[in-house]
Every structure is written in structure tokens, then in C-alpha cells.
Amino acid sequence: MAKKKEQKHIPVVTKKSLAFFEKYINNPSPTGFEWEGQRLWLDYIKPYTDEHFVDNYGTAVAIINPKAEFKVVIEAHADEISWFVNYITKDGLIYVIRNGGSDHQIAPSKRVNIHTDKGIVKAVFGWPAIHTRSGEKEEAPTLKNIFLDCGCTSKEEVEKLGIHVGCVITYEDEFTILNERYYVGRALDNRAGGFMIAEVARLLSENKKKLPFGLYIVNSVQEEIGLRGAEMIAHRIKPNVAIITDVTHDTQTPMINKITQGDLACGKGPVVSYAPAVQTNLNKLLIKTAETNDIPFQRQASSRSTGTDTDAFAYSNDGVVSALISLPLRYMHTTVEMIHKEDVDNVIRLIYESLLNIKVNHDFRTIK
């Protein structure tokens, strides 16, 4: 039996790019309020691209070869889950509603930032002490009983701080590195994607690669509430090809069913998806590229929809050739999302090498 060739890991992320990544993750960019994060992203990517623009809702696009007729998109989404102020009680407590898929079960005892026109107001998600909770069945956190306490004793006091219905709320938690192996933080879903596509632009520039097509590096808004930013920008750019990157679930931790969620692990490489929106021959190009360049990869199947911006691009403009490269992630939509360093490097490499294999007027049809 032949011995399997051992894949040697090739680092991509530099100290300088890691410093940007940390700053980018720590900056809040809630759905509908992504602009500060987009400024950081554009400042980082501008030296590696020819021009850029931002649309009316905040999707940022950096372009290489903007005059080329054949257009290829690499895309991620910039927004993070958050909360909205929904109701302020006469006693100065605040009830919330979701902005995106925020998890009510992790909220109690979390510190948050309430974003107001006067600046950040600090608050906490309160929860009754264990000593005061009685009865055979404990009440679980729900949208009906989680609340914010910002230290006020009346509605008027809350409003004087600049807080009103509609103010957006983000968690305080920031970027860390765990065991020199994992990047940990909130909003790795999917600012990790924005970071990785920016790194692709950096590699193209530093390696002096000349692409024969226009490359549109797209950091979309409002994915968390229905792929809305991708819908808008796909119609504006009208690309020929789109490679989307987002996160997917690492399924190795407790309480996740591999039968339904698949068998995926952090540290084992990028994930290529099989789904109706994923164009078969573009997907084959990604897989061949991974195999040729000794990039480890995993496979995932999605029923009907991928649930990512891939669907928005694929079904736009009479059909755009689209594929999805996912980054395995633990604890999605919590403040301790985890991704493996080597997976980040390998997603960047896979996108970069795949771009070098796409030709102008590349015909991905099976029947011609």
C-alpha cells in the first residue's frame, strides 16, 4: 500500500496582516451599521488594488483591472449579528429584538455596547441570581425575559444617555489566540472572510500576478438578515464568475449530529460545497486546484440552499457561475467563535490559486 503524501503547511498570514485582522474583528460592524469596519477594510486593501467604490447600503468593492470586460468576484460578508433596543421600561431596563441570528441563550451576564449618537453606552445582560431561582423547572433565557441594565433607574435617565428604540447593541468580546492554534472572537462569521479575500489581493500584488480579467473583491453587507447586500451588488457588478467564502460548522464538539450536519473539522482545510447553486465545473476547478497545490480540503453537501451569499450571486443576472469555499468554525453566533490558523491560510491559498486557473471567457457549461 502506497504511503499517503504528507502535506506541508504553507503559512500566508503575516504579522502585519494579523494586526489588521485583530483590529478588524474588534471593531463592531452590526448588520445595517457596517461602515466603520468597511473603512478599515478599504484602508487595508487599497494598496493592493486599482480602485474601489461603496454602494448606497455600504457594500465595499475593491477592483483589480476595472476596465476588463470579463469579471470575477471573490466575496465575503462584513456584518455581524447584534441586537436592537426594542422597549425601555419605566424602571430603566431595556428589552431587545434580534438584528440577525443572535443567540438568546448566550446573552445572560454578557457585557455589551449600546451604540448611540452620543457614543457608546455600556450595559450588561442581567439575569436573576441562582439563589433566587426556585421551582422544579428553571426558566431558560428567551427573547421575552432577557434584558439590559445600563445602571439607570428610570426611562428618562436611559433616554438622557442617548438610548432610544432602534439603537444597535454589540457584545464587548474581543480577539484572542488560543493555544497558538485558533483565532477566537466574535464576528469571525464572517469578517474572517473579508480578511481572507483581502489577503488574496495582497498576495496577487506582492507576487506581481497579472490577471487577464477584472477581479472584484466584494465585502457585502446585510448577509445575516437574508443575503441582501449580495443581492444588490451582484446586479450592479454583473460578474461572470463568483467565488464566495463564508464559515461553516465544525461538527466535532458535543451536541452536534454528524448525520445531519456532516463530518467537518477545524484544521482539516477549506470546505467545498455541493449544492444546486454551486456550479459543478467551477467546483471541479476548485478541487483540482486544491489537489494540484497540496491544499487539504473537506466536502459538504447543502440541501436546496447553501444559506450563504452564493445563492444570491448564482441566481442573479440570468445565472452567475458560482461556488462556495467555507471556513470551518466552532461555536457560530457566539462571542467565542473559533477558527484554525492553518485553515485561514489554506482558504486564502485556495482562492488565490483558483483565480490563476480561471481564463478570460472561461466556459463552465457542461453541454456546449
Side-chain angles (χ1 to χ4, degrees):
M1 183 175 173
K3 188 178 179 181
K4 190 177 179 182
K5 183 181 177 183
E6 189 174 334
Q7 292 167 318
K8 184 180 178 182
H9 180 70
I10 300 174
V12 175
V13 175
T14 66
K15 284 185 179 180
K16 181 180 177 183
S17 54
L18 182 59
F20 160 70
F21 188 30
E22 180 172 357
K23 186 177 181 183
Y24 185 47
I25 290 298
N26 289 346
N27 178 82
S29 289
T31 301
F33 302 83
E34 299 93 344
W35 48 81
E36 291 301 335
Q38 298 294 58
R39 281 195 186 102
L40 289 173
W41 186 81
L42 282 171
D43 286 344
Y44 181 74
I45 202 171
K46 278 178 192 175
Y48 311 124
T49 55
D50 298 320
E51 62 181 55
H52 71 275
F53 69 87
V54 180
D55 77 3
N56 289 333
Y57 277 84
T59 290
V61 182
I63 312 167
I64 297 171
N65 301 337
K67 294 182 180 178
E69 288 187 19
F70 194 81
K71 301 173 183 178
V72 176
V73 159
I74 57 175
E75 190 263 10
H77 75 83
D79 58 318
E80 68 177 288
I81 57 166
S82 54
W83 302 95
F84 279 126
V85 172
N86 189 51
Y87 169 60
I88 305 169
T89 73
K90 62 180 178 58
D91 299 318
L93 298 175
I94 299 167
Y95 286 84
V96 299
I97 57 172
R98 292 186 179 98
N99 185 18
S102 301
D103 188 345
H104 53 276
Q105 293 208 41
I106 71 159
S109 82
K110 283 291 183 187
R111 301 169 191 264
V112 300
N113 293 322
I114 305 176
H115 300 261
T116 79
D117 290 339
K118 295 181 178 181
I120 298 291
V121 176
K122 299 289 184 180
V124 297
F125 272 108
W127 193 246
I130 189 169
H131 318 70
T132 67
R133 304 197 305 264
S134 59
E136 292 182 5
K137 188 175 180 181
E138 289 217 55
E139 194 170 356
T142 70
L143 274 179
K144 294 179 180 178
N145 63 19
I146 59 172
F147 60 91
L148 288 176
D149 189 332
C150 60
C152 295
T153 56
S154 68
K155 181 177 181 180
E156 292 73 24
E157 195 178 353
V158 171
E159 290 174 339
K160 281 181 181 177
L161 294 175
I163 299 169
H164 55 75
V165 169
C167 280
V168 72
I169 303 147
T170 57
Y171 292 115
E172 272 192 353
D173 302 66
E174 295 193 337
F175 182 89
T176 57
I177 296 177
L178 193 62
N179 195 28
E180 295 303 315
R181 184 178 295 153
Y182 288 97
Y183 301 129
V184 179
R186 47 167 247 285
L188 295 178
D189 172 15
N190 181 36
R191 286 209 287 284
F195 170 68
M196 292 186 295
I197 58 176
E199 287 293 273
V200 171
R202 177 178 67 81
L203 290 186
L204 290 167
S205 175
E206 291 178 355
N207 294 333
K208 296 181 169 51
K209 297 293 184 181
K210 300 295 182 184
L211 297 175
F213 47 77
L215 180 65
Y216 291 69
I217 303 126
V218 178
N219 211 13
S220 293
V221 298
Q222 298 195 26
E223 186 272 350
E224 293 290 359
I225 48 88
L227 322 181
R228 299 308 186 191
E231 285 180 0
M232 292 183 271
I233 206 66
H235 288 289
R236 177 165 175 173
I237 295 172
K238 295 180 170 57
N240 301 93
V241 178
I243 298 173
I244 312 306
T245 186
D246 207 329
V247 295
T248 192
H249 302 288
D250 170 299
T251 60
Q252 307 307 305
T253 56
M255 298 184 289
I256 298 178
N257 187 342
K258 291 188 178 72
I259 294 172
T260 57
Q261 299 296 323
D263 189 2
L264 301 169
C266 289
K268 290 191 176 180
V271 178
V272 293
S273 278
Y274 294 81
V278 174
Q279 208 277 346
T280 300
N281 291 320
L282 177 56
N283 215 34
K284 287 180 179 177
L285 182 148
L286 299 180
I287 291 167
K288 185 177 179 182
T289 299
E291 291 172 340
T292 302
N293 292 277
D294 292 326
I295 300 170
F297 68 95
Q298 306 173 78
R299 303 177 199 253
Q300 178 177 36
S302 297
S303 179
R304 296 178 64 87
S305 165
T306 69
T308 72
D309 284 339
T310 312
D311 304 300
F313 274 90
Y315 301 131
S316 71
N317 302 294
D318 302 322
V320 173
V321 173
S322 301
L324 172 62
I325 300 174
S326 297
L327 177 70
L329 175 143
R330 290 184 172 187
Y331 318 125
M332 194 180 295
H333 286 201
T334 73
T335 58
V336 291
E337 294 179 334
M338 290 174 58
I339 53 176
H340 199 289
K341 284 180 166 185
E342 292 188 1
D343 289 339
V344 172
D345 290 334
N346 284 324
V347 169
I348 296 164
R349 287 183 61 216
L350 181 53
I351 298 172
Y352 171 83
E353 297 292 350
S354 296
L355 290 175
L356 301 181
N357 289 327
I358 295 174
K359 304 175 182 66
V360 171
N361 299 320
H362 203 127
D363 190 343
F364 286 95
R365 292 175 298 166
T366 300
I367 301 173
K368 301 174 184 178

